[in-house]
Amino acid sequence: MFPHMDAAHQQQVLQLFVRHQARIRGFIVALLGDFAAAEDVLQETFLVVQRKADTFAANSNFIAWAFQIARFQVMKAQAQRRSAAHRFSDEVIEALAASAPALPFDEAKLAALPGCLEQLAPQARRIVELCYQHEHKPREIARLLGWTAAAVSVTLTRARAALRDCVERRLAKETP
Amino acid sequence: MNDERFAYLLDQHFNGELTDAECAELSAHLLHSAADRARFWDRAETHVLLHEALQRQTAQPEARPARAWWQPAAWWAAAACVAALCFAWSWWRSHPAAPVALAEPEVAVVMQMAEARWPAGAELRPGDRLRPGLLRLEAGLVRLRFFSGASVVLQGPLELDLKAPNEAVVLRGKVTASVPPVAEGFTLATVGWRMIDRGTVFGVNVPTSGNAELHVLKGKVDLRANAAAAQARSLTTGQAASLGNDGTLVDVPSQPETFPSENDVFARAATQQSDRLVGWRESSRRAAQEASLLLYYDFENADHEIGIIRNLAPAATKASDGVLIGGEWAEGRWPGKNAVAFRRVGDLIRTLPARQLPAATFVVWVRFDASFEQRQTLLLSPKVGPGQVYWLVWPEPRRGPAAALAFVKTDQAGRDRYALAHGVLTAGGVGRWLQLAVVADAARGKVSHYLNGVRVSEQDFGDSLAMDLNELVIGNWGYTREPSSFVGRMDELAIYRRALAAEEIVRLYADGKP
């Protein structure tokens, strides 16, 4: 519709991206299951958002629009992966993207997490840090700690469950 | 579907460890059940929030140089950014998680290194400051000085989790700590143990598999096991122990010679640097034979007292030798390599290459010693008018803290035309030797900036007027009172009469890399 890109509009779109980038990253991380690859896809998504800013209608749902771009970038990245292992088909990605919550990744839950992390046992906390802060895969963590990969996976699963419960409990307490 | 099995498959997916068969199994369920898709997003939330929460606690750009500007992955994106939007982009890059993330204080400084090999994109150099976070070294020796005062020699392959100015966790590899009295209490930990210095030199070895070992070379170390039941112990000079993660401790023979010492690092670093210098001299001699060189200063063939820098280009005239005005001789990229240090506003080099060039390439090795908040001139042709060129560091405070590289030429109508590489010079670049290059190619009407062998921008200059290189001033801005002089060192400068290809600039970078 607009032959020339409106610079102010584009600036606004990029600000929206910056504001919601944690959500967009989360959406990509969920679909890819790989933090490093997600960071690359997030960059690609940013570049496309920048290029296509003029196709975003002001006051419409930015997250939905950005997720749509991110979804295509995830498919593109999947197609470029060498191995077929751990790769959702486009069909699965579409089905998942269509059922993604409108406003995923709750800020209140994020705020409750640090307190819950404090309550983890030291070993579990260490493993959670290695996984989420240092972005090691369970296999690498196992090598670093001299554990079996299965033991690390189980610890991670339990830690995630404990943290999920703790966050739910804290939020329940806060709401009267 | 079995709930437990589905939860397991989801975990495998989020751990990045799904097998082909598991992926097919999970996919089938996600495709056919809306309830399973809802559970996918429910589980994803915990996974994503954990990542976000822990990344916000990280904020350690130096210890995780993956986010730093000299990493190649950042380049293409920086190059792709449209002028008006670079600020948003660089803001986003520098705030990967939280808009207001307080950086944790620095914990250590990289002092020396010998034959150090780092993971790609995570190269560190002497002088780099480290924040809390994981440090990985693939091979070689590195010495760190913690801010508590403790000196630590690392031998790769190694993974060290930097915790605080007086604490680190050895996840793998060999570490020798020399702790002066001021840093008593410095602690190295392994997964199962904490080793607290009581005035010592001690070594810790954490092999890939098997028990960690502590060897006390001198003094005393207190040992605490994380396992609750285990006893506290102290080891003194000449004692060594093998430490089980469960808190078991077995005395072993002391082998101080198997741990790297500070002197090992000094000696090997010196050898490596002199090897690099010899290597550079060889490639520099070859490079000086290139027929298209207009000017080549290696700063080695200089008359120090008189201050004449010889132009080594084939067929160079005497007039194109550099005359050093102000400035001081200093050490270059390696001990034994000469450089000129520019400090004051009036420090500069003058020369008369006496050429008008339609195409040229400028390549220089410099170390900036002041922040990029001020304009700094690398070189310029001082005669005002069409064809005048200047090459400078161009701060852009309204875009953000990082400065641009600028190449400017005055066109026929007397207007300045700019080629800018935005946001490429950040605080992390101060104090490091950098290769900067500009390729100005009139035939294609393009100007490209390079930093450390990587093209960081390419622009249509829209002007093919020849560049006036009759006269050149290096390191200073000739006219204004406003300080725009270069503050730092320069130890190699080449100007070619043609546009060099990207591969040629990469090769020059590889030959000259400190």
Side-chain angles (χ1 to χ4, degrees):
Chain A
M1 239 201 254
F2 303 100
H4 298 292
M5 204 183 286
D6 175 351
H9 173 72
Q10 186 169 18
Q11 198 67 40
Q12 234 167 15
V13 170
L14 293 187
Q15 275 165 6
L16 281 170
F17 184 92
V18 171
R19 191 181 317 149
H20 293 296
Q21 62 150 314
R23 283 211 167 82
I24 301 166
R25 180 192 287 113
F27 176 82
I28 297 167
V29 161
L31 293 176
L32 279 177
D34 181 328
F35 298 122
E39 203 59 36
D40 290 343
V41 173
L42 184 66
Q43 281 194 29
E44 293 283 355
T45 304
F46 175 79
L47 293 177
V48 176
V49 162
Q50 176 184 305
R51 220 169 33 239
K52 294 198 168 171
D54 56 342
T55 67
F56 172 69
N59 301 325
S60 61
N61 184 344
F62 177 77
I63 292 183
W65 182 74
F67 277 7
Q68 206 166 334
I69 291 175
R71 178 182 58 142
F72 277 113
Q73 293 308 313
V74 168
M75 290 179 186
K76 216 172 107 191
Q78 296 279 50
Q80 285 164 357
R81 274 199 193 180
R82 254 164 293 160
S83 95
H86 190 231
R87 200 170 90 178
F88 285 143
S89 66
D90 288 358
E91 237 182 327
V92 175
I93 289 170
E94 264 173 39
L96 282 172
S99 62
L103 202 65
F105 317 129
D106 191 338
E107 280 288 329
K109 290 185 181 171
L110 183 61
L113 259 180
C116 290
L117 279 163
E118 298 282 329
Q119 295 179 0
L120 280 185
Q123 287 286 37
R125 165 142 199 187
R126 177 102 204 104
I127 285 175
V128 167
E129 279 176 2
L130 285 168
C131 175
Y132 289 102
Q133 193 166 29
H134 302 303
E135 301 180 356
H136 283 301
K137 297 209 162 130
R139 209 181 303 259
E140 293 166 326
I141 299 173
R143 188 181 54 73
L144 285 171
L145 302 186
W147 291 27
T148 64
V152 172
S153 291
V154 168
T155 308
L156 269 175
T157 300
R158 286 189 189 145
R160 280 194 287 246
L163 288 168
R164 201 162 42 234
D165 289 349
C166 169
V167 166
E168 298 292 345
R169 267 201 316 279
R170 284 186 179 222
L171 291 189
K173 242 181 249 170
E174 276 169 22
T175 43
Chain B
M1 173 180 206
N2 178 332
D3 271 9
E4 214 171 293
R5 176 72 184 161
F6 184 69
Y8 165 81
L9 290 174
L10 282 178
D11 273 332
Q12 286 291 96
H13 165 66
F14 293 126
N15 290 343
E17 304 211 320
L18 268 189
T19 64
D20 278 357
E22 288 170 343
C23 185
E25 191 183 346
L26 180 59
S27 295
H29 288 278
L30 290 173
L31 270 179
H32 297 121
S33 158
D36 284 344
R37 288 197 290 275
R39 284 174 65 197
F40 172 93
W41 285 109
D42 184 50
R43 293 297 167 115
E45 185 176 57
T46 312
H47 181 67
V48 165
L49 291 180
L50 261 173
H51 184 242
E52 186 69 17
L54 283 155
Q55 288 297 308
R56 286 187 188 192
Q57 288 179 12
T58 308
Q60 47 194 345
E62 304 281 354
R64 306 185 63 216
R67 301 257 186 276
W69 59 263
W70 52 86
Q71 187 209 5
W75 289 122
W76 60 266
C81 78
V82 183
L85 306 162
C86 279
F87 173 68
W89 191 86
S90 59
W91 182 89
W92 171 57
R93 287 301 296 176
S94 58
H95 298 76
V100 200
L102 283 179
E104 284 183 76
E106 292 161 352
V107 297
V109 187
V110 180
M111 302 301 291
Q112 290 89 14
M113 52 181 66
E115 294 130 32
R117 204 174 69 229
W118 305 94
E123 290 84 9
L124 293 174
R125 294 202 221 164
D128 284 353
R129 307 296 168 111
L130 303 175
R131 294 185 192 284
L134 192 66
L135 180 74
R136 286 197 217 191
L137 172 68
E138 288 178 352
L141 292 181
V142 172
R143 188 170 82 95
L144 305 181
R145 171 77 76 184
F146 279 75
F147 278 98
S148 59
S151 163
V152 165
V153 177
L154 314 174
Q155 180 178 317
L158 166 126
E159 297 186 52
L160 184 71
D161 194 358
L162 303 167
K163 288 289 188 190
N166 62 353
E167 190 181 338
V169 182
V170 190
L171 294 169
R172 181 163 75 111
K174 255 183 201 179
V175 176
T176 313
S178 308
V179 187
V182 48
E184 192 185 313
F186 176 77
T187 301
L188 282 182
T190 64
V191 171
W193 294 79
R194 294 171 63 75
M195 288 152 257
I196 304 138
D197 161 84
R198 295 291 168 229
T200 50
V201 180
F202 66 100
V204 176
N205 181 20
V206 180
T208 308
S209 60
N211 286 351
E213 286 190 7
L214 166 67
H215 294 240
V216 178
L217 279 56
K218 207 172 96 188
K220 183 177 156 200
V221 173
D222 289 345
L223 258 172
R224 306 253 184 290
N226 292 344
Q231 302 252 309
R233 273 239 353 225
S234 294
L235 296 191
T236 56
T237 309
Q239 293 188 310
S242 160
L243 312 169
N245 280 350
D246 54 357
T248 54
L249 180 151
V250 180
D251 288 312
V252 296
S254 170
Q255 294 173 305
E257 68 287 352
T258 61
F259 288 92
S261 72
E262 291 180 317
N263 284 335
D264 292 340
V265 189
F266 301 149
R268 282 171 60 183
T271 312
Q272 195 193 2
Q273 291 199 317
S274 76
D275 287 353
R276 289 289 302 148
L277 178 58
V278 169
W280 170 80
R281 283 200 173 121
E282 256 169 49
S283 50
S284 160
R285 255 197 301 278
R286 270 199 316 277
Q289 290 160 12
E290 162 67 39
S292 67
L293 268 176
L294 171 68
L295 184 145
Y296 181 55
Y297 296 160
D298 66 357
F299 294 89
E300 297 290 282
N301 293 278
D303 186 326
H304 284 215
E305 280 168 16
I306 300 175
I308 301 292
I309 299 153
R310 271 192 51 210
N311 180 4
L312 301 178
T317 61
K318 212 170 160 50
S320 61
D321 286 349
V323 178
L324 177 62
I325 301 159
E328 278 164 30
W329 292 98
E331 186 177 285
R333 274 165 282 173
W334 308 277
K337 167 88 189 78
N338 288 332
V340 167
F342 298 80
R343 289 202 181 91
R344 287 165 298 259
V345 175
D347 294 351
L348 58 97
I349 296 169
R350 280 187 187 282
T351 176
L352 298 169
R355 291 298 283 259
Q356 298 273 348
L357 294 182
T361 302
F362 304 82
V363 185
V364 69
W365 278 97
V366 286
R367 191 187 84 183
F368 291 98
D369 289 338
S371 73
F372 297 120
E373 284 157 19
Q374 265 186 359
R375 206 153 67 179
Q376 300 190 46
T377 311
L378 292 165
L379 63 79
L380 71 102
S381 52
K383 191 163 157 284
V384 180
Q388 183 188 20
V389 292
Y390 31 104
W391 184 19
L392 57 170
V393 174
W394 192 266
E396 299 176 297
R398 288 168 66 186
R399 284 172 184 280
L405 281 165
F407 186 78
V408 189
K409 186 176 74 176
T410 310
D411 69 11
Q412 197 65 57
R415 279 189 313 260
D416 283 346
R417 292 178 182 258
Y418 290 80
L420 290 164
H422 293 292
V424 294
L425 294 175
T426 62
V430 175
R432 285 175 168 234
W433 281 97
L434 306 174
Q435 184 215 43
L436 305 179
V438 164
V439 179
D441 186 348
R444 290 170 60 232
K446 303 245 189 229
V447 174
S448 305
H449 282 280
Y450 288 78
L451 174 56
N452 286 346
V454 180
R455 179 157 61 205
V456 290
S457 76
E458 183 180 57
Q459 273 145 308
D460 276 318
F461 217 38
D463 178 73
S464 54
L465 183 66
M467 286 167 274
D468 174 4
L469 299 186
N470 281 309
E471 191 181 346
L472 276 183
V473 171
I474 297 157
N476 209 327
W477 177 266
Y479 330 102
T480 62
R481 276 171 212 280
E482 127 191 49
S484 301
S485 53
F486 165 54
V487 179
R489 295 180 181 190
M490 182 181 294
D491 78 353
E492 194 175 357
L493 170 67
I495 304 176
Y496 298 82
R497 288 181 276 119
R498 64 181 177 92
L500 259 59
E503 305 81 65
E504 291 176 287
I505 292 178
V506 175
R507 197 174 325 125
L508 289 171
Y509 172 69
D511 288 342
K513 195 167 67 169

